Coordinates of all heavy atoms in Angstrom, one line a residue:
M1 N 111.5 98.7 86.1 CA 110.2 98.0 85.8 C 109.0 98.8 86.2 O 109.0 99.3 87.3 CB 110.2 96.7 86.6 CG 108.9 95.9 86.3 SD 109.1 94.2 87.1 CE 108.0 94.4 88.4
E2 N 108.1 99.0 85.3 CA 107.0 99.9 85.5 C 105.8 99.0 86.0 O 105.6 97.9 85.6 CB 106.5 100.5 84.2 CG 105.4 101.5 84.4 CD 105.0 102.1 83.1 OE1 105.9 102.5 82.3 OE2 103.8 102.3 82.8
T3 N 105.2 99.5 87.1 CA 104.0 98.8 87.7 C 102.7 99.5 87.2 O 102.6 100.7 87.3 CB 104.1 98.9 89.2 OG1 105.3 98.3 89.6 CG2 103.0 98.1 89.8
K4 N 101.8 98.7 86.7 CA 100.5 99.2 86.3 C 99.6 98.9 87.5 O 99.4 97.8 87.9 CB 100.0 98.5 85.1 CG 100.9 98.6 83.9 CD 100.6 99.9 83.2 CE 101.4 99.9 81.9 NZ 101.5 101.2 81.3
F5 N 98.9 100.0 88.0 CA 98.0 99.8 89.1 C 96.6 99.6 88.5 O 96.2 100.2 87.6 CB 98.0 101.0 90.0 CG 99.2 101.1 90.8 CD1 100.3 101.9 90.4 CD2 99.4 100.5 92.0 CE1 101.5 102.0 91.1 CE2 100.5 100.6 92.8 CZ 101.6 101.4 92.3
N6 N 95.9 98.7 89.2 CA 94.5 98.5 88.9 C 93.7 99.7 89.3 O 93.7 100.0 90.5 CB 94.0 97.2 89.5 CG 92.6 96.9 89.3 OD1 91.7 97.8 89.4 ND2 92.3 95.7 89.0
N7 N 93.1 100.4 88.4 CA 92.4 101.7 88.8 C 91.3 101.5 89.8 O 91.2 102.3 90.7 CB 91.8 102.3 87.5 CG 91.5 103.8 87.7 OD1 92.2 104.5 88.4 ND2 90.4 104.2 87.1
A8 N 90.6 100.4 89.8 CA 89.5 100.2 90.7 C 90.1 100.0 92.1 O 89.6 100.5 93.1 CB 88.7 99.0 90.4
N9 N 91.2 99.3 92.2 CA 91.9 99.1 93.5 C 92.5 100.4 94.1 O 92.4 100.7 95.3 CB 93.0 98.1 93.4 CG 92.4 96.7 93.2 OD1 91.3 96.4 93.5 ND2 93.3 95.8 92.7
V10 N 93.0 101.2 93.2 CA 93.6 102.5 93.6 C 92.5 103.4 94.1 O 92.6 104.0 95.2 CB 94.4 103.2 92.5 CG1 94.7 104.6 92.8 CG2 95.6 102.4 92.1
E11 N 91.4 103.4 93.4 CA 90.2 104.2 93.9 C 89.7 103.7 95.2 O 89.4 104.5 96.1 CB 89.1 104.2 92.8 CG 89.4 104.9 91.6 CD 89.7 106.4 91.8 OE1 89.0 107.1 92.6 OE2 90.6 106.9 91.1
A12 N 89.6 102.4 95.4 CA 89.2 101.9 96.7 C 90.2 102.3 97.8 O 89.7 102.7 98.9 CB 89.1 100.4 96.6
L13 N 91.4 102.2 97.5 CA 92.4 102.5 98.5 C 92.3 104.0 98.9 O 92.4 104.4 100.0 CB 93.8 102.2 98.0 CG 95.0 102.4 98.9 CD1 94.8 101.6 100.2 CD2 96.3 102.0 98.2
L14 N 92.1 104.9 97.9 CA 92.0 106.3 98.1 C 90.7 106.6 99.0 O 90.8 107.4 99.9 CB 91.8 107.0 96.8 CG 93.0 107.6 96.2 CD1 92.7 108.2 94.8 CD2 93.7 108.7 97.0
R15 N 89.6 105.9 98.7 CA 88.4 106.1 99.5 C 88.7 105.7 101.0 O 88.2 106.4 101.9 CB 87.2 105.3 98.9 CG 86.6 105.9 97.7 CD 85.3 105.3 97.4 NE 85.3 103.9 97.2 CZ 85.7 103.2 96.0 NH1 86.0 104.0 95.0 NH2 85.8 101.9 96.0
I16 N 89.3 104.6 101.2 CA 89.6 104.1 102.5 C 90.5 105.1 103.3 O 90.2 105.5 104.4 CB 90.3 102.7 102.5 CG1 89.2 101.6 102.0 CG2 90.8 102.3 103.9 CD1 89.8 100.3 101.7
A17 N 91.6 105.5 102.6 CA 92.6 106.4 103.2 C 91.9 107.7 103.5 O 92.1 108.3 104.6 CB 93.8 106.6 102.4
A18 N 91.1 108.2 102.6 CA 90.4 109.5 102.8 C 89.4 109.4 103.9 O 89.3 110.4 104.7 CB 89.7 109.9 101.5
G19 N 88.7 108.3 104.0 CA 87.8 108.2 105.1 C 88.5 108.2 106.5 O 88.0 108.8 107.4
K20 N 89.6 107.6 106.6 CA 90.4 107.6 107.8 C 91.0 108.9 108.1 O 91.2 109.2 109.3 CB 91.5 106.5 107.8 CG 91.0 105.1 107.8 CD 92.1 104.1 108.0 CE 91.5 102.7 108.1 NZ 91.0 102.3 109.4
L21 N 91.2 109.7 107.1 CA 91.7 111.1 107.3 C 90.6 112.2 107.3 O 90.9 113.3 107.4 CB 92.7 111.4 106.2 CG 93.9 110.6 106.1 CD1 94.7 110.8 104.8 CD2 94.8 110.9 107.3
N22 N 89.4 111.7 107.3 CA 88.2 112.6 107.3 C 88.3 113.7 106.2 O 88.1 114.9 106.4 CB 88.1 113.3 108.7 CG 87.8 112.3 109.8 OD1 87.0 111.4 109.6 ND2 88.5 112.5 110.9
M23 N 88.5 113.2 105.0 CA 88.6 114.1 103.9 C 88.0 113.4 102.7 O 87.8 112.2 102.7 CB 90.0 114.6 103.6 CG 91.0 113.5 103.4 SD 92.8 114.0 103.4 CE 92.8 115.6 102.7
K24 N 87.7 114.2 101.6 CA 87.2 113.6 100.4 C 88.3 113.0 99.6 O 89.4 113.5 99.5 CB 86.5 114.7 99.6 CG 85.3 115.3 100.2 CD 84.6 116.4 99.4 CE 83.4 116.9 100.1 NZ 82.8 118.0 99.2
P25 N 87.9 111.8 98.9 CA 89.0 111.2 98.1 C 89.6 112.0 97.1 O 90.8 112.0 96.8 CB 88.2 110.0 97.5 CG 87.0 109.8 98.4 CD 86.7 111.1 99.0
E26 N 88.8 112.9 96.5 CA 89.3 113.8 95.4 C 90.4 114.8 96.0 O 91.4 115.1 95.3 CB 88.2 114.7 94.8 CG 87.0 113.9 94.2 CD 86.0 113.5 95.3 OE1 85.7 114.3 96.2 OE2 85.5 112.3 95.2
V27 N 90.1 115.2 97.2 CA 91.1 116.2 97.9 C 92.4 115.4 98.1 O 93.5 115.9 97.9 CB 90.5 116.8 99.1 CG1 91.5 117.6 99.9 CG2 89.3 117.6 98.8
L28 N 92.3 114.2 98.7 CA 93.5 113.4 99.0 C 94.2 113.1 97.7 O 95.5 113.3 97.6 CB 93.1 112.1 99.7 CG 94.2 111.2 100.0 CD1 95.3 111.9 100.9 CD2 93.7 109.9 100.6
R29 N 93.5 112.8 96.6 CA 94.2 112.5 95.3 C 95.0 113.7 94.9 O 96.2 113.6 94.5 CB 93.2 112.1 94.3 CG 93.8 111.9 92.9 CD 92.8 111.7 91.8 NE 92.2 110.4 91.9 CZ 92.7 109.3 91.4 NH1 93.9 109.3 90.9 NH2 92.1 108.2 91.5
K30 N 94.4 114.9 94.9 CA 95.1 116.1 94.5 C 96.3 116.4 95.3 O 97.4 116.8 94.8 CB 94.1 117.3 94.5 CG 93.1 117.3 93.4 CD 92.2 118.5 93.5 CE 91.1 118.4 92.4 NZ 90.1 119.5 92.5
Q31 N 96.2 116.2 96.6 CA 97.3 116.4 97.5 C 98.5 115.4 97.2 O 99.6 115.8 97.1 CB 96.9 116.3 99.0 CG 96.1 117.5 99.4 CD 95.6 117.3 100.8 OE1 95.8 116.3 101.5 NE2 94.9 118.3 101.3
L32 N 98.1 114.2 97.0 CA 99.1 113.2 96.7 C 99.8 113.5 95.3 O 101.0 113.3 95.2 CB 98.5 111.8 96.7 CG 98.1 111.3 98.0 CD1 97.3 110.0 97.9 CD2 99.2 111.1 99.0
E33 N 99.0 113.8 94.3 CA 99.5 114.1 93.0 C 100.4 115.3 93.0 O 101.4 115.4 92.2 CB 98.4 114.3 92.0 CG 97.7 112.9 91.7 CD 96.5 113.1 90.8 OE1 96.0 114.2 90.6 OE2 96.0 112.0 90.3
S34 N 100.1 116.3 93.8 CA 100.9 117.5 93.9 C 102.1 117.4 94.7 O 103.1 118.2 94.7 CB 100.0 118.7 94.4 OG 99.8 118.6 95.8
G35 N 102.1 116.4 95.6 CA 103.2 116.2 96.5 C 103.1 117.1 97.8 O 104.0 117.1 98.6
N36 N 102.0 117.8 97.9 CA 101.8 118.6 99.1 C 101.0 117.9 100.1 O 99.8 117.8 100.1 CB 101.0 119.9 98.7 CG 100.8 120.8 99.8 OD1 101.3 120.6 100.9 ND2 100.0 121.8 99.6
L37 N 101.8 117.3 101.0 CA 101.1 116.4 102.0 C 100.9 117.1 103.4 O 100.4 116.5 104.3 CB 102.0 115.2 102.2 CG 102.2 114.3 101.0 CD1 103.2 113.2 101.3 CD2 100.9 113.8 100.4
E38 N 101.2 118.4 103.5 CA 101.0 119.1 104.7 C 99.6 119.0 105.2 O 99.3 118.7 106.4 CB 101.5 120.6 104.6 CG 102.9 120.7 104.4 CD 103.8 120.1 105.5 OE1 103.5 120.3 106.7 OE2 104.8 119.4 105.2
A39 N 98.6 119.3 104.4 CA 97.2 119.3 104.8 C 96.8 117.9 105.2 O 96.0 117.7 106.1 CB 96.3 119.8 103.7
T40 N 97.3 116.9 104.5 CA 97.0 115.5 104.8 C 97.5 115.1 106.2 O 96.8 114.5 107.0 CB 97.6 114.5 103.7 OG1 97.1 114.9 102.4 CG2 97.2 113.1 104.0
I41 N 98.8 115.5 106.4 CA 99.4 115.2 107.7 C 98.6 115.9 108.9 O 98.4 115.3 109.9 CB 100.9 115.6 107.7 CG1 101.6 114.7 106.7 CG2 101.5 115.6 109.1 CD1 103.1 115.2 106.5
K42 N 98.1 117.1 108.6 CA 97.3 117.8 109.7 C 96.0 117.0 110.0 O 95.5 117.1 111.1 CB 97.0 119.2 109.2 CG 98.2 120.1 109.2 CD 97.8 121.5 108.7 CE 99.0 122.3 108.5 NZ 98.7 123.6 108.0
N43 N 95.5 116.2 109.1 CA 94.3 115.4 109.3 C 94.5 114.1 110.1 O 93.6 113.5 110.5 CB 93.5 115.1 108.0 CG 92.8 116.3 107.5 OD1 92.4 117.2 108.2 ND2 92.7 116.4 106.1
M44 N 95.8 113.8 110.2 CA 96.1 112.5 110.9 C 96.2 112.7 112.4 O 96.4 113.8 112.9 CB 97.5 112.0 110.4 CG 97.6 111.7 109.0 SD 99.3 111.4 108.6 CE 99.2 109.8 107.8
N45 N 96.0 111.6 113.1 CA 96.2 111.7 114.6 C 97.7 111.9 114.8 O 98.5 111.5 114.0 CB 95.6 110.6 115.4 CG 96.4 109.3 115.2 OD1 97.6 109.3 115.4 ND2 95.7 108.2 114.9
P46 N 98.1 112.6 115.9 CA 99.5 113.0 116.1 C 100.5 111.8 116.0 O 101.6 112.0 115.4 CB 99.5 113.7 117.4 CG 98.1 114.2 117.6 CD 97.2 113.2 116.9
K47 N 100.1 110.7 116.6 CA 101.0 109.5 116.6 C 101.3 109.0 115.1 O 102.4 108.8 114.7 CB 100.4 108.4 117.4 CG 101.3 107.2 117.6 CD 100.7 106.2 118.5 CE 101.5 105.0 118.6 NZ 100.9 103.9 119.4
D48 N 100.2 108.9 114.3 CA 100.3 108.5 112.9 C 101.1 109.5 112.1 O 101.9 109.2 111.2 CB 99.0 108.2 112.3 CG 98.3 107.0 112.9 OD1 99.0 106.1 113.5 OD2 97.1 106.8 112.7
A49 N 100.8 110.8 112.3 CA 101.5 111.9 111.6 C 103.0 111.8 111.9 O 103.8 112.0 110.9 CB 100.9 113.2 112.0
A50 N 103.4 111.6 113.1 CA 104.8 111.5 113.5 C 105.5 110.3 112.8 O 106.6 110.5 112.2 CB 105.0 111.5 115.0
R51 N 104.8 109.2 112.8 CA 105.3 108.0 112.1 C 105.5 108.2 110.6 O 106.4 107.8 110.0 CB 104.4 106.8 112.5 CG 105.1 105.5 112.4 CD 104.3 104.4 112.9 NE 103.1 104.8 113.6 CZ 102.2 103.9 114.2 NH1 102.4 102.7 114.0 NH2 101.2 104.4 114.8
F52 N 104.5 108.8 110.0 CA 104.5 109.1 108.6 C 105.6 110.0 108.2 O 106.4 109.8 107.3 CB 103.1 109.7 108.2 CG 103.0 110.0 106.7 CD1 102.9 108.9 105.8 CD2 103.0 111.3 106.2 CE1 102.8 109.2 104.4 CE2 102.9 111.5 104.8 CZ 102.8 110.5 104.0
Q53 N 105.8 111.1 109.0 CA 106.9 112.0 108.7 C 108.3 111.3 108.9 O 109.2 111.6 108.1 CB 106.8 113.2 109.6 CG 105.7 114.1 109.2 CD 105.5 115.3 110.1 OE1 105.7 115.2 111.3 NE2 105.1 116.4 109.5
Q54 N 108.4 110.4 109.9 CA 109.6 109.6 110.0 C 109.9 108.8 108.8 O 111.0 108.7 108.3 CB 109.6 108.7 111.3 CG 109.8 109.4 112.6 CD 109.7 108.4 113.7 OE1 108.9 107.4 113.7 NE2 110.5 108.7 114.8
A55 N 108.8 108.2 108.3 CA 109.0 107.3 107.1 C 109.4 108.1 105.9 O 110.2 107.6 105.1 CB 107.7 106.6 106.8
L56 N 108.9 109.3 105.8 CA 109.3 110.1 104.6 C 110.8 110.5 104.7 O 111.4 110.6 103.7 CB 108.5 111.4 104.6 CG 107.0 111.3 104.2 CD1 106.3 112.6 104.3 CD2 106.8 110.7 102.8
K57 N 111.3 110.6 105.9 CA 112.7 111.0 106.1 C 113.7 109.8 106.1 O 114.9 110.0 106.0 CB 112.9 111.8 107.4 CG 112.2 113.1 107.4 CD 112.3 113.8 108.8 CE 111.4 115.0 108.8 NZ 111.4 115.6 110.2
N58 N 113.1 108.6 106.2 CA 113.9 107.4 106.3 C 113.5 106.3 105.4 O 112.7 105.5 105.7 CB 113.9 106.9 107.8 CG 114.8 105.8 108.0 OD1 115.4 105.2 107.1 ND2 114.9 105.4 109.3
P59 N 114.1 106.3 104.2 CA 113.7 105.3 103.2 C 113.9 103.8 103.7 O 113.2 102.9 103.3 CB 114.6 105.5 102.0 CG 115.1 106.9 102.2 CD 115.1 107.2 103.6
G60 N 114.9 103.6 104.6 CA 115.1 102.3 105.2 C 113.9 101.8 106.0 O 113.5 100.6 106.0
M61 N 113.2 102.8 106.6 CA 112.0 102.5 107.4 C 110.9 102.0 106.5 O 110.2 101.1 106.8 CB 111.6 103.7 108.2 CG 110.4 103.5 109.1 SD 109.9 105.0 109.9 CE 109.6 104.5 111.5
V62 N 110.8 102.7 105.4 CA 109.7 102.3 104.4 C 110.0 100.9 103.9 O 109.1 100.1 103.7 CB 109.6 103.4 103.3 CG1 108.7 102.9 102.2 CG2 109.2 104.7 103.8
K63 N 111.3 100.7 103.5 CA 111.6 99.4 103.0 C 111.3 98.3 104.0 O 110.8 97.2 103.7 CB 113.1 99.3 102.7 CG 113.6 98.1 102.0 CD 115.0 98.1 101.6 CE 115.5 96.8 101.0 NZ 116.9 96.9 100.5
E64 N 111.6 98.5 105.3 CA 111.3 97.6 106.4 C 109.8 97.4 106.5 O 109.3 96.2 106.6 CB 111.8 98.1 107.7 CG 111.7 97.1 108.9 CD 112.2 97.7 110.1 OE1 113.3 98.3 110.1 OE2 111.6 97.4 111.2
M65 N 109.0 98.4 106.4 CA 107.5 98.3 106.5 C 107.0 97.5 105.3 O 106.1 96.7 105.5 CB 106.9 99.7 106.6 CG 107.1 100.4 107.9 SD 106.2 101.9 108.1 CE 106.2 102.7 106.6
M66 N 107.5 97.7 104.2 CA 107.0 97.1 103.0 C 107.4 95.6 102.9 O 106.9 94.9 102.1 CB 107.5 97.8 101.7 CG 106.9 99.2 101.5 SD 105.1 99.1 101.5 CE 104.8 98.2 100.0
S67 N 108.3 95.2 103.8 CA 108.7 93.8 103.8 C 107.8 92.9 104.6 O 107.9 91.7 104.6 CB 110.2 93.6 104.3 OG 110.2 94.0 105.7
T68 N 106.8 93.5 105.3 CA 105.9 92.7 106.1 C 104.9 92.0 105.2 O 104.6 92.4 104.0 CB 105.1 93.6 107.0 OG1 104.2 94.4 106.3 CG2 106.0 94.4 108.0
A69 N 104.4 90.9 105.7 CA 103.4 90.1 104.9 C 102.2 90.9 104.5 O 101.6 90.8 103.4 CB 103.0 88.8 105.7
Q70 N 101.7 91.7 105.5 CA 100.5 92.6 105.2 C 100.8 93.5 104.0 O 99.9 93.7 103.2 CB 100.1 93.3 106.4 CG 99.5 92.5 107.5 CD 99.3 93.3 108.8 OE1 100.1 94.1 109.1 NE2 98.2 93.0 109.4
A71 N 101.9 94.2 104.1 CA 102.3 95.1 103.0 C 102.4 94.4 101.7 O 101.9 94.9 100.6 CB 103.6 95.9 103.3
K72 N 103.0 93.2 101.7 CA 103.2 92.5 100.4 C 101.8 92.1 99.8 O 101.6 92.1 98.6 CB 104.0 91.3 100.6 CG 105.5 91.6 100.9 CD 106.3 90.4 101.2 CE 107.8 90.7 101.4 NZ 108.6 89.6 101.7
E73 N 100.9 91.7 100.7 CA 99.6 91.3 100.3 C 98.8 92.5 99.7 O 98.1 92.4 98.7 CB 98.8 90.7 101.4 CG 97.4 90.2 101.1 CD 97.4 89.1 100.0 OE1 98.4 88.3 100.0 OE2 96.5 89.0 99.2
M74 N 98.9 93.6 100.4 CA 98.3 94.9 99.9 C 98.8 95.2 98.5 O 98.1 95.6 97.6 CB 98.5 96.0 100.9 CG 97.7 97.2 100.4 SD 97.9 98.7 101.5 CE 98.2 98.1 103.1
Y75 N 100.1 95.2 98.4 CA 100.8 95.5 97.1 C 100.2 94.6 96.0 O 99.9 95.0 94.9 CB 102.3 95.3 97.2 CG 103.0 95.6 95.9 CD1 103.4 96.9 95.6 CD2 103.3 94.6 95.0 CE1 104.1 97.2 94.5 CE2 104.0 94.9 93.8 CZ 104.4 96.2 93.6 OH 105.0 96.5 92.4
K76 N 100.1 93.3 96.3 CA 99.6 92.3 95.3 C 98.2 92.6 94.9 O 97.8 92.5 93.8 CB 99.7 90.9 95.9 CG 99.4 89.8 94.9 CD 99.7 88.5 95.4 CE 99.4 87.4 94.3 NZ 99.8 86.1 94.8
K77 N 97.3 93.0 95.9 CA 95.9 93.3 95.6 C 95.8 94.6 94.8 O 95.0 94.6 93.9 CB 95.2 93.5 96.9 CG 94.8 92.3 97.6 CD 94.0 92.5 98.9 CE 93.7 91.3 99.6 NZ 92.9 91.5 100.9
I78 N 96.7 95.5 95.0 CA 96.6 96.8 94.3 C 97.2 96.6 92.8 O 96.6 97.1 91.9 CB 97.4 97.9 95.0 CG1 96.7 98.3 96.3 CG2 97.5 99.2 94.1 CD1 97.5 99.2 97.2
T79 N 98.3 96.0 92.7 CA 99.0 95.9 91.4 C 98.6 94.6 90.6 O 98.8 94.6 89.4 CB 100.5 95.9 91.6 OG1 100.9 94.7 92.3 CG2 101.0 97.1 92.3
G80 N 98.2 93.6 91.3 CA 97.9 92.3 90.7 C 99.2 91.5 90.5 O 99.2 90.5 89.8
K81 N 100.3 92.0 91.0 CA 101.6 91.3 90.9 C 102.2 91.1 92.3 O 102.0 91.8 93.2 CB 102.6 92.1 90.1 CG 102.1 92.4 88.7 CD 103.1 93.3 88.0 CE 102.6 93.6 86.6 NZ 103.6 94.5 85.9
D82 N 103.1 90.0 92.3 CA 103.9 89.8 93.5 C 104.9 90.9 93.7 O 105.5 91.4 92.7 CB 104.6 88.5 93.5 CG 103.6 87.3 93.7 OD1 102.7 87.4 94.5 OD2 103.8 86.3 93.0
P83 N 105.2 91.3 94.9 CA 106.3 92.3 95.1 C 107.6 91.8 94.7 O 107.9 90.6 94.8 CB 106.2 92.7 96.6 CG 105.2 91.8 97.2 CD 104.6 91.0 96.1
V84 N 108.5 92.7 94.2 CA 109.8 92.3 93.8 C 110.7 92.1 95.0 O 110.7 92.8 95.9 CB 110.4 93.3 92.8 CG1 111.7 92.7 92.2 CG2 109.4 93.7 91.8

């Protein structure tokens, strides 16, 4: 099943994430699109960077995080659909 993201919501999410990482949204977008997250991780505080790297290595952890009410609500806001 293909999910269509609301462009305005994706842009808003990029701006928020980039602000927290002290970088420009365009730079974050390019890093995410290229799959090169090293520079992004360097901008995170060490605790968040370690947690993020753990999540990348452990799909079960991501699944567990996405099962929270907050994650489901964020997914719904971004996609306009209930999570599967």
Side-chain angles (χ1 to χ4, degrees):
M1 181 170 107
E2 184 178 319
T3 300
K4 301 273 185 195
F5 289 95
N6 177 314
N7 197 37
N9 288 342
V10 171
E11 291 300 320
L13 185 58
L14 266 175
R15 283 193 305 276
I16 292 167
K20 290 191 179 277
L21 294 169
N22 296 318
M23 57 192 325
K24 293 181 180 180
E26 305 81 40
V27 173
L28 179 58
R29 177 188 288 279
K30 286 180 184 177
Q31 289 175 357
L32 292 172
E33 288 174 347
S34 72
N36 179 8
L37 302 176
E38 292 302 317
T40 303
I41 292 170
K42 288 178 185 176
N43 284 332
M44 298 172 124
N45 73 51
K47 185 178 178 183
D48 290 340
R51 208 174 341 181
F52 182 71
Q53 288 176 325
Q54 281 180 329
L56 290 177
K57 294 176 186 175
N58 184 351
M61 180 186 223
V62 174
K63 185 176 180 178
E64 184 180 322
M65 289 186 323
M66 291 305 296
S67 68
T68 66
Q70 289 174 320
K72 289 177 181 179
E73 183 62 30
M74 185 183 328
Y75 180 88
K76 187 173 182 175
K77 283 182 181 179
I78 292 171
T79 65
K81 299 179 181 179
D82 286 324
V84 190

